[in-house]
């Protein structure tokens, strides 16, 4: 059964079928059988017409499905005057159509959020004035002002002395990047520092960000539709049905027997039980923080063999964190954090704000700094509790205090050293990094127990950073320095050997999420583009939600398959009984209804699925990052 093109049509068909059956039954009980037959037939007409349209569309695409059995049973019942049987079948079909459309929901929303990440206007220098202009009016050579927090609307080169950029959404690099005059700035990056001027080198339509949008759309268009469970059973069941109905008519000469076979053969265990089980699975998965966008993705999620993970914001928290505090001189660790965080309150740099947040999370009461002077991208100086304090890069602090500070090379790949000087002397330093989430190794082991055979890392970050972060993890391969189209190529290569799930959170992950069999987005803090392109969204910022998500999908699919096997088996028995003349079409319709009730009750067991990996919606949650090391 193929779904109708719009949700309102499925609802309208269901209402018509239900009203026809109920109104006809009331008339029949009032002693007006002829009028009842007309009402039943009238209710069947629109349902059968919509069904025939879907059959024609399917045949034009080369698909032969279960719709044909339902159309044959309704048509045959009408031809031989079994209007009540036809009306019952019509209601069953309409119910299945409605349920399937409900299960699908908004399985694939438009990429409008991806486009709206870049502002619709930009601030352009015009002589000595500034003006807001539409993106389409920006031409190469225009000089633009990018304020703090703004997203670069087009590709360009930096004309200011320096800029601090958050490129995590595009490249996966979690730590802010400092660029200098003349260096390239990609569209889609966020200004994490002071305002700067950008000389446009491309029009908006030709920018890096627009290219990613086109890449996502191309990946979605080329992605083959997932085969539904009902489709995989359709041809076999259709052949059995037509054979039994033909044989009953051929050997007895009684067309009523053939109609009875067709009516009881209406594949409602497939039309109803599968959507019910899968919708119940969708509801149960959402209970554990996993939003699955439809029944087809849930089916595919149950059979994933390869997992590809992004790094920043997925395996890691995606934000700078304090990895270690190293005192120098007389200060303690707590004092190093105290002075650093107190002065950093006067800076809007992402690393400074991360240090302030970490101190407040530990309950540290921070005084208001005085006489704060910031050197953008370098560091900040001021007074804390009457003492002269300077915080920033190792070279910046060393120049301020007049002696050597910490060696910047001592930080591992992907880490940043933040130095502290107090009263003209080196006082210590903090090492900041986008740390691996605690419990990741256990998470990967749990995924392998659920049948995931290959686990890969795919990141736009540098290889040295990727290898440092994943050291000790049992990954099958690490792919670094990947562009968005490089991630798509990796997904397509892995799909040749099995079903692939891609997990990511950035704009640069969106094309790969769209290309994978199942795309999973980290929805709590991830980019809207990745959530739009994905089939599954993790509603909480914990990668471990994959475990109950996959477990629920596997168990819901198993329940659906069980319901189908039992329901089809009972239908075949009923078809044989009808072929032997022991069931009339109306009796066959109600016998099929009894079978439907049984398989639907079994399918509803999916609402009570308890994943073996977790015991409740909050169980098994991973802490954000590794604890601070001294």
């Amino acid at each position: 059964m193929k779904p109708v093109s719009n949700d309102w049509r499925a609802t309208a068909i269901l209402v018509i079928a239900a009203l026809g059956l109920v109104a006809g039954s009331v008339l029949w009980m009032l002693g007006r059988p002829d009028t009842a037959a007309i009402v039943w037939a009238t209710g069947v007409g629109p349902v059968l017409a919509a069904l025939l349209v879907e059959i024609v569309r399917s045949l034009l695409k080369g698909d032969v499905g279960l719709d044909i059995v339902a159309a044959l049973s309704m048509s045959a019942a009408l031809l031989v005057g079994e209007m009540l049987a036809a009306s019952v079948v019509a209601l069953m079909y309409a119910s299945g159509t409605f349920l399937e459309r409900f299960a699908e929901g908004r399985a694939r929303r438009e990429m409008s959020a991806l486009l709206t990440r870049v502002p619709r206007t930009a601030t352009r220098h015009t002589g000595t004035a500034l003006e807001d202009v539409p993106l389409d009016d920006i031409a190469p050579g225009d000089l633009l002002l990018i304020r703090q927090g703004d997203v670069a609307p087009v590709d360009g080169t930096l004309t200011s002395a320096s800029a601090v950029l958050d490129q995590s959404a595009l490249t996966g690099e979690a730590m802010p990047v400092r660029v200098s005059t003349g260096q390239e700035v990609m569209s889609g990056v966020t200004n994490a520092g002071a305002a700067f001027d950008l000389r446009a080198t491309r029009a908006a339509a030709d920018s890096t960000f627009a290219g990613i949008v086109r890449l996502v759309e191309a990946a979605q268009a080329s992605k083959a539709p997932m085969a539904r469970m009902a489709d995989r059973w359709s041809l076999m069941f259709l052949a059995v049905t037509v054979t039994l109905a033909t044989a009953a008519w051929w050997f007895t000469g009684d067309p009523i027997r053939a109609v009875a076979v067709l009516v009881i053969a209406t594949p409602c265990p497939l039309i109803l039980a599968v959507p019910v089980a899968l919708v119940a699975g969708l509801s149960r998965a959402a209970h554990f923080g996993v939003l699955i966008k439809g029944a087809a993705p849930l089916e595919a999620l149950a059979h994933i063999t390869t997992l590809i993970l992004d790094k920043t914001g997925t395996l890691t928290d995606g934000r700078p964190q304090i990895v270690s505090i190293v005192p120098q001189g007389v200060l303690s660790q707590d004092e190093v954090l105290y002075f650093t965080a107190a002065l950093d309150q006067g800076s809007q740099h992402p690393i400074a704000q991360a240090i302030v947040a970490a101190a407040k999370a530990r309950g540290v009461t921070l005084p208001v700094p005085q006489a704060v002077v910031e050197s953008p991208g370098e560091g900040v100086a001021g007074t804390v509790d009457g003492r002269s304090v300077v915080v920033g890069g190792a070279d910046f602090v060393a120049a301020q205090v007049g002696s050597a500070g910490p060696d910047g090379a001592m930080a591992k790949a992907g880490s940043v050293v933040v130095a502290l000087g107090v009263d003209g002397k080196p006082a210590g330093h903090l090492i900041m990094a986008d740390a691996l989430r605690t419990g990741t190794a256990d998470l990967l082991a749990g995924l392998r127990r659920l049948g995931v055979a290959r686990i890969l890392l795919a990141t736009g970050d540098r290889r040295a950073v990727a290898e440092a972060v994943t050291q000790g993890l049992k990954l099958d391969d690490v792919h670094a320095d990947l562009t968005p189209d490089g991630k798509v190529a990796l997904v397509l290569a892995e799909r040749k050997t099995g079903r692939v799930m891609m997990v990511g959170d950035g704009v640069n992950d969106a094309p790969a999420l769209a290309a994978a069999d199942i795309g999973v987005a980290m929805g709590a803090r991830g980019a809207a583009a990745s959530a739009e392109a994905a089939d599954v969204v993790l509603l909480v910022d914990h990668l471990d939600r994959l475990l109950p998500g996959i477990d629920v999908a596997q168990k819901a699919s198993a329940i659906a398959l069980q319901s189908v096997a039992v329901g089809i088996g009972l239908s075949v028995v009923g078809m044989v009984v009808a072929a032997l003349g022991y069931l009339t079409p109306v009796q066959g319709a109600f016998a099929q209804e009894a079978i439907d009730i049984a398989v639907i009750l079994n399918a509803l067991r999916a609402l009570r699925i308890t994943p073996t990996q977790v015991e409740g919606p909050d169980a098994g949650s991973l802490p954000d990052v590794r604890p601070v090391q001294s």
Side-chain angles (χ1 to χ4, degrees):
M1 180 192 64
K2 304 296 183 186
V4 292
S5 57
N6 293 299
D7 291 342
W8 71 267
R9 292 185 183 178
T11 304
I13 288 175
L14 176 60
V15 170
I16 291 171
L19 288 177
L21 178 60
V22 172
S25 299
V26 170
L27 290 169
W28 182 82
M29 287 187 290
L30 293 175
R32 302 177 63 182
D34 293 339
T35 307
I38 294 173
V39 172
W40 284 327
T42 302
V44 173
V47 180
L48 181 57
L51 179 55
L52 292 175
V53 170
E54 293 302 323
I55 290 174
V56 171
R57 289 177 179 174
S58 299
L59 292 176
L60 291 176
K61 296 177 182 178
D63 296 333
V64 179
L66 292 166
D67 296 342
I68 295 177
V69 178
L72 284 174
S73 62
M74 276 187 267
S75 301
L78 290 175
L79 288 173
V80 300
E82 295 286 348
M83 304 306 181
L84 176 57
S87 183
V88 172
V89 173
L91 180 60
M92 290 188 292
Y93 170 80
S95 300
T97 301
F98 178 81
L99 282 172
E100 189 167 16
R101 292 302 293 167
F102 178 79
E104 289 176 355
R106 297 176 65 181
R108 185 67 63 190
R109 292 177 288 176
E110 297 179 355
M111 287 301 297
S112 56
L114 179 55
L115 293 170
T116 56
R117 175 178 161 79
V118 174
R120 296 298 182 185
T121 62
T123 303
R124 182 171 63 185
H125 288 275
T126 304
T128 58
L130 294 171
E131 63 174 348
D132 289 336
V133 297
L135 286 190
D136 292 340
D137 290 350
I138 299 174
D142 285 350
L143 186 63
L144 308 177
L145 174 65
I146 310 299
R147 299 182 178 89
Q148 186 178 46
D150 285 353
V151 175
V154 297
D155 294 343
T157 55
L158 184 69
T159 61
S160 299
S162 65
V164 179
L165 304 177
D166 178 0
Q167 300 183 141
S168 59
L170 287 184
T171 66
E173 171 63 67
M175 307 302 289
V177 175
R178 184 174 181 271
V179 296
S180 303
T181 301
Q183 288 187 283
E184 183 180 0
V185 176
M186 293 183 293
S187 58
V189 302
T190 302
N191 180 11
F196 63 84
D197 289 333
L198 179 72
R199 182 75 67 182
T201 56
R202 293 189 183 95
D206 301 322
S207 67
T208 300
F209 205 84
I212 293 178
V213 173
R214 289 191 291 270
L215 191 59
V216 171
E217 293 171 341
Q220 289 180 330
S222 63
K223 185 174 178 179
M226 300 173 188
R228 300 175 306 145
M229 185 182 298
D231 294 335
R232 296 194 292 269
W233 288 68
S234 60
L235 284 177
M236 179 186 69
F237 189 75
L238 177 60
V240 171
T241 299
V242 173
T243 299
L244 279 175
T246 303
W249 193 356
W250 178 267
F251 288 108
T252 66
D254 184 2
I256 299 298
R257 291 197 184 188
V259 173
V261 171
L262 291 173
V263 168
I264 200 169
T266 303
C268 289
L270 287 172
I271 294 175
L272 294 176
V274 172
V276 167
L278 298 184
V279 169
L282 298 179
S283 174
R284 191 59 175 159
H287 176 72
F288 294 97
V290 183
L291 175 62
I292 303 174
K293 298 181 181 179
L298 185 139
E299 281 192 63
L301 186 61
H303 301 95
I304 291 299
T305 58
T306 300
L307 171 63
I308 300 177
L309 293 166
D310 174 49
K311 180 183 73 67
T312 304
T314 303
L315 278 182
T316 66
D317 186 60
R319 295 174 295 187
Q321 303 286 336
I322 299 176
V323 175
S324 64
I325 302 175
V326 181
Q328 185 177 355
V330 298
L331 295 185
S332 66
Q333 284 188 23
D334 291 342
E335 290 172 323
V336 170
L337 177 61
Y338 173 83
F339 283 107
T340 303
L343 185 59
D344 270 342
Q345 293 178 100
S347 173
Q348 292 299 316
H349 194 285
I351 291 180
Q353 293 302 302
I355 293 173
V356 173
K360 290 182 177 179
R362 297 186 185 190
V364 178
T365 301
L366 300 176
V368 177
Q370 305 295 324
V372 177
V373 177
E374 183 171 11
S375 299
E378 297 285 350
V380 60
T383 302
V384 176
D385 292 342
R387 303 180 71 174
S388 176
V389 180
V390 59
V391 174
D395 294 339
F396 174 77
V397 172
Q400 295 289 318
V401 301
S403 60
D407 183 2
M410 68 182 296
K412 294 182 180 180
S415 300
V416 172
V417 173
V418 177
L420 169 69
V422 177
D423 294 333
K425 298 180 181 179
H429 62 271
L430 296 79
I431 295 181
M432 308 289 294
D434 182 20
L436 187 71
R437 296 176 187 265
T438 300
T440 301
D442 293 337
L443 167 65
L444 299 185
L447 289 169
R448 293 191 187 277
R449 287 194 295 270
L450 289 173
V452 180
R454 282 175 55 77
I455 302 178
L456 316 175
L457 179 73
T459 179
D461 214 340
R462 292 168 291 142
R463 175 163 290 278
V465 175
E467 292 178 347
V469 169
T470 60
Q471 186 177 9
L473 293 182
K474 295 181 179 180
L475 297 173
D476 293 288
D477 205 350
V478 174
H479 298 265
D481 300 305
L482 293 179
T483 59
D485 54 345
K487 290 187 177 183
V488 171
L490 175 62
V491 167
L492 296 179
E494 291 295 328
R495 285 184 64 184
K496 295 178 181 178
T497 58
R499 286 194 173 180
V500 175
M501 177 167 65
M502 170 74 192
V503 184
D505 75 323
V507 174
N508 61 325
D509 299 316
L513 295 178
D517 293 294
I518 289 293
V520 180
M522 303 290 289
R525 291 202 316 268
S530 60
E532 293 290 343
D535 304 290
V536 178
V537 178
L538 303 185
L539 300 177
V540 293
D541 189 34
H542 294 304
L543 188 59
D544 72 332
R545 296 298 93 188
L546 286 175
L547 298 178
I550 295 175
D551 204 359
V552 167
Q554 291 177 346
K555 290 177 178 176
S557 295
I559 289 172
L561 185 61
Q562 181 189 75
S563 298
V564 167
V566 172
I568 292 299
L570 291 174
S571 293
V572 171
V573 171
M575 289 159 59
V576 173
V577 173
L580 295 175
Y582 295 108
L583 286 176
T584 66
V586 172
Q587 290 171 336
F590 284 105
Q592 184 62 66
E593 282 293 312
I595 295 172
D596 294 344
I597 293 172
V599 297
I600 288 173
L601 290 176
N602 182 68
L604 287 173
R605 292 191 300 113
L607 287 172
R608 301 192 302 273
I609 292 175
T610 300
T612 55
Q613 299 291 336
V614 292
E615 296 178 355
D618 298 319
S621 296
L622 300 177
D624 283 342
V625 293
R626 290 172 175 167
V628 171
Q629 304 282 331
S630 61

